[in-house]
Amino acid sequence: MFRRTATSTAFAALAAAAALALTASATATATAATAPGFVNGTDLPPHPTSPWYAGQVTQGLPEFAPFCLDGVLPAQGSWHRTFGTEFDTGAVQVSVRASSAAAAAKLATALERKVAACAADWLRETPGGTASWEDYGKLPVEEGAHVYGVHTSIPESEPGVHLYGIGRDGSTVTVVQWGQMGNLSHAPVADFKKTTTRAVNKLNP
């Protein structure tokens, strides 16, 4: 009769752990192979006192939709990557493989309209608040990209500023959202335009 010893139990546990690690590794490899290309922390506007920390490229949408983009990003065909610093600055990139170039163009247009309307929509839902937005123009990369800024503030609270880069390469759309406390005068627009260009150039349509 076979007796299950502590040694055999340990070997079984190690084998199970190894199998789990192989499965996780295979899943990560498969995700990396099918996901669009993403920016790295070094591609984002430099923070004056902190490095950027980048999360993994993950299939699906982030747990919380980027500010201004609730309800407009589809879960199907989506991947995301979140970024953070040691302070109040954060970012997220979401990329979507659409069913066709026409569908991708439609999604990019919907994202641009949502951001352009964000300040007004936020004001309607936030009595006593103030908000503004800025169109920083288009970028000549692949099928095009567009950069916007949105500022919001409520009394007795820190104001917030967000930058959005929305672009398309073939049937793939990407949006990068950067945010921190402050107003539009504090936004690193020139550096963020470089981030947006890199984000679109790194896509694998």
Side-chain angles (χ1 to χ4, degrees):
M1 179 184 294
F2 174 75
R3 291 187 176 180
R4 193 172 184 84
T5 65
T7 302
S8 65
T9 301
F11 276 126
L14 287 172
L20 183 62
L22 286 172
T23 301
S25 176
T27 301
T29 301
T31 298
T34 58
F38 276 73
V39 296
N40 300 310
T42 53
D43 296 317
L44 293 166
H47 191 281
T49 57
S50 172
W52 281 98
Y53 302 101
Q56 296 294 319
V57 174
T58 305
Q59 194 164 14
L61 296 175
E63 182 179 0
F64 301 103
F67 180 65
C68 290
L69 297 179
D70 187 33
V72 69
L73 285 163
Q76 185 174 0
S78 293
W79 283 263
H80 72 275
R81 189 178 203 180
T82 57
F83 304 85
T85 65
E86 295 173 359
F87 298 94
D88 64 335
T89 307
V92 62
Q93 181 182 4
V94 181
S95 296
V96 182
R97 289 198 191 280
S99 58
S100 66
K106 185 177 180 180
L107 174 59
T109 298
L111 289 167
E112 290 187 23
R113 288 176 177 170
K114 185 78 170 179
V115 171
C118 179
D121 290 343
W122 185 86
L123 281 174
R124 280 192 291 269
E125 299 172 0
T126 314
T130 59
S132 59
W133 72 289
E134 190 72 42
D135 183 341
Y136 292 115
K138 298 181 179 181
L139 301 175
V141 54
E142 298 301 340
E143 273 69 62
H146 211 138
V147 173
Y148 298 88
V150 176
H151 163 258
T152 59
S153 180
I154 56 177
E156 301 180 2
S157 180
E158 292 289 343
V161 60
H162 304 269
L163 292 175
Y164 299 84
I166 301 164
R168 180 173 71 91
D169 185 3
S171 60
T172 306
V173 176
T174 194
V175 55
V176 182
Q177 182 258 328
W178 169 99
Q180 69 174 27
M181 290 190 292
N183 55 49
L184 290 172
S185 67
H186 302 133
V189 177
D191 283 335
F192 189 74
K193 285 185 175 181
K194 295 176 184 177
T195 296
T196 302
T197 298
R198 290 170 186 158
V200 177
N201 276 330
K202 286 190 173 187
L203 292 175
N204 305 314

